[in-house]
Amino acid sequence: MSLNGVLRTSVSGMNAQSNRIATVAENIQNASTTGYKRTSTEFSSLLLESADRGAYNSGAVETTIRRSISENGAHAGTSSDSDLAITGNGFFVVRDQGGLPYLTRAGSFMIDGPTGNLVNKGGFTLMGYSLADGEPAPMLNGITDLQTINIKRMGQEAQPSSAGSVSGNLSDETPVAASAPPAVATYSKKSSLKVYDNVGQAKVLDVVMTKTGTKEWSVSFYDQANPATYPATPLTTTTVKFDSMGQTLGTPIATVTVPNGQAMKIDLSGITQLSGDFNLSGTANGSSPISVTGTTFGSDGTVYALYSNNTKKAVFKVPLADVASPDNLSPRAGNVFTTSVDSGEIQVGFAGQSGRGTIKSRALEQSNVDVGAELTSMIESQTVYTANSKVFMTGNEMIETLVNLKR
């Protein structure tokens, strides 16, 4: 073995430990970074063949950088509904300001004031599917069909009435009308019901009830804003029949199309015909325009808009992307990753499907760095580096001695 070989081997060993110290330093400084994945240095020997069986040619040490991207970090609870953590496999799909896509586990998303987008601390925007046209059909091996999840687009929303009910008592003591509407303008009881059209404007439906038999009533609905339709042209008329106990026979339903609104079904089965006074009440869903007060997320990635009237609506769905070999993804600044030749191509699906994890709101995935283990690695590297440096110094001294002998 030549003395020059000793020097080369020692330098190789010091370089290898320098790489290890570099990864330790990176891991420690990112120990508190959301979704950060630990980097490690693996060593392998490089041996050199010797033609002289009595001599030994020392080789070198090669280093390979490994990233524990598939290793999950612990979850820490937060108070923000838009903080998201993945339990299990998968990555959020995000885009930078230039529109380039990336994968990340860093789910510290906040609403960006100027744009209304959900952006994480690295400045990357969360992507998903709109539910405006129903359940999405994702492109399985691509992400070009994803949209920016934007809170401003949820905006104000009117909720047209689609269902309601009329319940209570119709007095059994009411005499039977001489004739039922619309032949003449006679009725036994009149009330009204407030409903909402497509733009959230309140409409009032007059509810005209006429006793047409000893156990039979006619219930008609009119647009109060159009009095000319009474009594000849009701929006709809339904017959309600009662048994000997004063309960409705069957399930009477009146289907009414709200003016400039939706077809709504009004349940009349809660009406009774008993002795005593009239005592009626009515309900209808829908509302005037309401504003979005926040968002919440389901474990399957569904994004719900929360409205000021304490209702919610599914508006987006966040997918999870995955690759065949996550540990071979290429890291980029901002705690994001891109695919590589060894990682495989992106496959897209939803949380809880095909081996993908679930999404947890009000939580963030912590770094998977173990600071204690990193400090141990640092001490080991320092010790080995120092030993290699002493070998180098000894070899250098031997060379100097050899040179002096020639002199």
Side-chain angles (χ1 to χ4, degrees):
M1 171 182 176
S2 67
L3 291 176
N4 286 333
V6 172
L7 299 182
R8 287 194 301 269
T9 300
S10 300
V11 170
S12 172
M14 288 188 287
N15 286 336
Q17 296 304 323
S18 295
N19 288 341
R20 188 182 187 188
I21 286 289
T23 60
V24 168
E26 179 184 332
N27 289 339
I28 291 177
Q29 71 179 356
N30 285 286
S32 299
T33 300
T34 300
Y36 174 80
K37 300 303 180 180
R38 178 176 58 87
T39 302
S40 61
T41 304
E42 295 186 1
F43 302 99
S44 60
S45 60
L46 176 62
L47 300 180
L48 301 177
E49 294 291 336
S50 175
D52 186 352
R53 299 185 64 181
Y56 177 74
N57 285 338
S58 62
V61 176
E62 290 185 327
T63 56
T64 303
I65 304 300
R66 299 290 187 189
R67 298 185 183 275
S68 302
I69 299 174
S70 60
E71 179 185 333
N72 286 193
H75 288 179
T78 72
S79 59
S80 174
D81 286 321
S82 59
D83 281 341
L84 306 177
I86 300 172
T87 301
N89 300 326
F91 298 85
F92 298 115
V93 180
V94 294
R95 284 182 181 167
D96 64 10
Q97 294 182 353
L100 295 177
Y102 297 92
L103 305 180
T104 189
R105 298 274 293 197
S108 54
F109 296 103
M110 298 177 293
I111 299 175
D112 178 61
T115 63
N117 297 335
L118 282 177
V119 180
N120 68 9
K121 291 181 180 178
F124 294 89
T125 300
L126 181 62
M127 307 301 294
Y129 297 101
S130 172
L131 298 180
D133 298 322
E135 191 69 16
M139 182 186 299
L140 298 180
N141 60 343
I143 54 179
T144 57
D145 56 341
L146 293 179
Q147 303 178 23
T148 299
I149 294 183
N150 186 279
I151 304 303
K152 284 186 175 179
R153 268 192 278 167
M154 300 176 188
Q156 287 193 331
E157 180 171 303
Q159 297 181 338
S161 297
S162 60
S165 67
V166 175
S167 60
N169 189 54
L170 296 175
S171 177
D172 182 60
E173 300 164 8
T174 304
V176 176
S179 60
V184 294
T186 178
Y187 58 84
S188 305
K189 181 68 176 177
K190 183 178 179 183
S191 189
S192 61
L193 187 67
K194 183 171 72 172
V195 297
Y196 296 90
D197 67 10
N198 291 332
V199 296
Q201 184 176 356
K203 301 284 187 178
V204 178
L205 301 181
D206 281 335
V207 186
V208 176
M209 290 158 284
T210 305
K211 190 174 184 180
T212 56
T214 56
K215 300 183 184 305
E216 181 178 296
W217 289 70
S218 174
V219 181
S220 298
F221 293 84
Y222 294 86
D223 178 8
Q224 189 180 83
N226 189 7
T229 62
Y230 179 79
T233 315
L235 297 173
T236 190
T237 297
T238 302
T239 298
V240 181
K241 296 182 179 182
F242 299 93
D243 60 19
S244 60
M245 302 298 293
Q247 307 298 313
T248 56
L249 291 172
T251 306
I253 299 290
T255 301
V256 182
T257 299
V258 177
N260 192 41
Q262 306 291 315
M264 66 178 295
K265 294 185 179 298
I266 302 177
D267 185 359
L268 305 177
S269 61
I271 300 176
T272 59
Q273 181 183 275
L274 302 173
S275 178
D277 297 332
F278 286 98
N279 181 20
L280 294 174
S281 63
T283 64
N285 65 359
S287 69
S288 57
I290 50 177
S291 59
V292 176
T293 59
T295 57
T296 188
F297 290 77
S299 61
D300 63 347
T302 301
V303 185
Y304 296 92
L306 302 178
Y307 293 96
S308 56
N309 66 344
N310 296 321
T311 62
K312 67 179 183 179
K313 178 184 177 182
V315 288
F316 288 99
K317 197 165 187 178
V318 177
L320 291 182
D322 206 356
V323 294
S325 180
D327 290 340
N328 283 311
L329 288 168
S330 299
R332 294 291 184 267
N335 207 7
V336 295
F337 306 96
T338 60
T339 57
S340 67
V341 174
D342 296 325
S343 70
E345 294 299 319
I346 292 177
Q347 298 291 317
V348 178
F350 293 120
Q353 299 178 359
S354 303
R356 293 176 178 82
T358 57
I359 297 175
K360 184 177 181 180
S361 180
R362 293 197 170 200
L364 291 174
E365 182 180 0
Q366 302 296 288
S367 163
N368 61 3
V369 172
D370 184 337
V371 175
E374 297 301 322
L375 292 175
T376 300
S377 295
M378 182 179 66
I379 294 171
E380 291 175 350
S381 292
Q382 182 185 21
T383 301
V384 176
Y385 189 94
T386 301
N388 273 288
S389 68
K390 291 187 179 298
V391 172
F392 181 87
M393 292 171 62
T394 300
N396 192 49
E397 290 173 357
M398 292 174 66
I399 290 177
E400 288 181 358
T401 300
L402 182 61
V403 171
N404 289 334
L405 287 175
K406 289 182 179 181
R407 293 176 182 172

